[in-house]
Amino acid sequence: MSEAVAKKSINESMLDQLSYAQRQRLAYIDFCLLFKGAIYRQDLIQRFEVGLSAGSRDFTIYKQLAPQNLVYDHQQKRYFQTATFKPLFKHDAKRTLVKLANDISDGFDAIGDVHFPVEAPSSLNVPDIFIVASIVQATLKQQALQISYTSLSSGESRREIVPHSIVDNGLRWHVRGYDRKSESFRDFVLTRISRAKLTGKFDTAAEPEEQGDADHEWHRMIPLQLVPHPHNVAHNKAIEMDYGMSNGVLTIDVRAAMAGYLLRRWNVDCTEDGTLLGPEYQLWLRNRTSLMNTSNLAIAPGYKVR
């Protein structure tokens, strides 16, 4: 048995002897180090409402199990992720992304929480958990990230981006941020990123014009009025019930940067007169003029600039 395998076996044995609550707290430490790059002792104490001695004991145990994972900065009174960090727990990429989208960071998925009998459609693409972790860290720190990215049009290239949001468009995950190559805010598919590395120090933020506050397409909200398709639907009432329409209309406000994704996901006919035929087109965009001056609409079904 190799030394690494033996050490892993010992760690698993030690974890099994701990209570569920304590393993959860250790998983939370692991989660914060992986996705935030650092953690205060007070973060753990406040999150789980434990005493100072219990919190200190948790960090001591974590250091015994994974001494190479964290280093304590006495000046900042904060634990930081090391360059040799390797997660002590297994964090599922899909579940972690959902939790991050809903501002949940509890570490439960890493220790086997309760599974409910609810089935979801299978995902054909799963992002690399370490790529996700680097993007999350760069987003929280407002730092630039060096990535290797493969696009459909130009193949593989190296870029520097300043990410500000991770986006689920219903089919796959994107990261949105400022692209220093094109000098514009763009979307990058997570699974097409093969390498990601932070460029600056922990407390070094990117330029203001590169940060999320400057992304006007992201902050601009536009109203979409969705109605049953005028030609493909025989019984409008069914569609009205599906989407909770009021007086035959569903009005939603979406980010301009996200409009194309939503329209594509729900197969919303964006032609002027609802001319797309087929059972998949059950909705029609009644106020297509709301999309004026909005980019990323090439994927909106039937939308063409006049």
Side-chain angles (χ1 to χ4, degrees):
M1 181 182 298
S2 68
E3 182 178 348
V5 173
K7 183 177 180 180
K8 181 179 179 181
S9 179
I10 293 173
N11 286 351
E12 290 177 349
S13 177
M14 289 181 64
L15 285 173
D16 289 340
Q17 295 175 19
L18 301 175
S19 68
Y20 182 87
Q22 194 161 29
R23 280 186 287 130
Q24 184 192 356
R25 296 197 297 271
L26 295 183
Y28 178 76
I29 295 173
D30 203 54
F31 185 97
C32 289
L33 289 172
L34 177 58
F35 293 101
K36 298 180 180 180
I39 180 174
Y40 289 103
R41 183 180 295 132
Q42 199 63 27
D43 292 338
L44 182 73
I45 293 172
Q46 291 180 352
R47 175 66 180 79
F48 294 96
E49 297 182 349
V50 296
L52 179 60
S53 58
S56 299
R57 185 164 57 249
D58 290 333
F59 277 98
T60 298
I61 294 174
Y62 185 89
K63 285 189 289 185
Q64 291 176 347
L65 294 169
Q68 78 288 350
N69 277 5
L70 74 171
V71 61
Y72 185 70
D73 187 305
H74 291 277
Q75 185 175 358
Q76 298 191 39
K77 297 182 179 179
R78 196 177 191 184
Y79 291 94
F80 285 89
Q81 179 199 96
T82 64
T84 56
F85 177 87
K86 292 183 179 179
L88 182 61
F89 295 84
K90 184 178 180 180
H91 301 272
D92 181 86
K94 291 187 292 184
R95 297 175 71 186
T96 296
L97 282 168
V98 171
K99 290 190 174 189
L100 290 170
N102 291 279
D103 196 25
I104 301 171
S105 55
D106 52 22
F108 264 124
D109 65 304
I111 56 174
D113 53 340
V114 178
H115 295 279
F116 293 95
V118 177
E119 186 65 26
S122 299
S123 175
L124 300 181
N125 52 358
V126 180
D128 183 287
I129 193 69
F130 297 105
I131 297 294
V132 173
S134 295
I135 292 171
V136 172
Q137 285 193 40
T139 300
L140 294 175
K141 302 169 188 174
Q142 297 183 322
Q143 285 188 0
L145 192 70
Q146 294 177 341
I147 64 171
S148 292
Y149 188 76
T150 303
S151 70
L152 289 174
S153 58
S154 57
E156 185 175 7
S157 64
R158 291 188 177 183
R159 297 173 179 266
E160 279 195 9
I161 65 172
V162 181
H164 68 71
S165 299
I166 294 179
V167 180
D168 176 13
N169 71 1
L171 297 174
R172 55 192 178 188
W173 290 89
H174 290 72
V175 55
R176 183 166 178 84
Y178 186 83
D179 174 31
R180 287 179 171 173
K181 183 177 181 180
S182 63
E183 298 184 339
S184 63
F185 286 95
R186 300 183 59 182
D187 297 342
F188 297 90
V189 182
L190 290 190
T191 50
R192 295 179 185 170
I193 300 176
S194 58
R195 187 183 68 88
K197 181 181 179 182
L198 274 74
T199 61
K201 296 180 179 180
F202 193 91
D203 56 353
T204 305
E207 297 299 322
E209 63 271 17
E210 300 176 326
Q211 297 177 18
D213 288 344
D215 188 350
H216 303 299
E217 286 277 285
W218 179 259
H219 293 288
R220 182 166 66 91
M221 304 299 290
I222 57 176
L224 301 180
Q225 296 176 2
L226 308 181
V227 299
H229 198 281
H231 305 299
N232 299 332
V233 177
H235 302 283
N236 287 2
K237 184 65 175 178
I239 301 302
E240 292 173 12
M241 294 175 67
D242 279 347
Y243 297 96
M245 294 181 176
S246 177
N247 297 321
V249 182
L250 173 64
T251 301
I252 56 175
D253 293 325
V254 301
R255 298 184 187 277
M258 295 288 290
Y261 296 129
L262 182 144
L263 295 167
R264 180 186 181 184
R265 178 184 182 185
W266 295 106
N267 290 321
V268 179
D269 184 344
C270 299
T271 60
E272 290 189 55
D273 302 311
T275 54
L276 294 182
L277 301 180
E280 68 271 29
Y281 300 111
Q282 297 181 344
L283 296 171
W284 175 53
L285 179 64
R286 190 172 70 174
N287 63 330
R288 70 189 306 276
T289 55
S290 65
L291 299 179
M292 292 179 62
N293 302 318
T294 300
S295 59
N296 196 28
L297 292 178
I299 59 177
Y303 183 82
K304 293 182 180 178
V305 181
R306 295 179 181 179

